[in-house]
Amino acid sequence: MASGLGQGQLQESLHPNYYGQRALGTCLGLQLDRAPGRYACTNTPGTGPADMRLQPAPSA
């Protein structure tokens, strides 16, 4: 029975695409500019990495 996946497709399915890489880079840059602590990156869908914000992460 065929899975429908070609070689490497399963491994690459969780790899961020171009937009995901930009979002990760923006988030990391925002965190480097802050004091140590727990933060979460937030964004409104469709607005792009330039509108990403850093907020204190909720307590666990």
Side-chain angles (χ1 to χ4, degrees):
M1 181 171 179
S3 67
L5 296 176
Q7 182 178 358
Q9 286 181 318
L10 181 61
Q11 293 86 351
E12 294 294 321
S13 65
L14 297 177
H15 190 274
N17 61 15
Y18 169 79
Y19 300 104
Q21 289 284 10
R22 286 190 60 202
L24 287 171
T26 301
C27 183
L28 288 173
L30 290 170
Q31 290 193 22
L32 289 172
D33 291 338
R34 292 283 177 108
R38 291 178 44 121
Y39 299 100
C41 287
T42 60
N43 197 356
T44 303
T47 60
D51 290 330
M52 190 168 289
R53 302 291 176 252
L54 200 62
Q55 298 178 342
S59 299

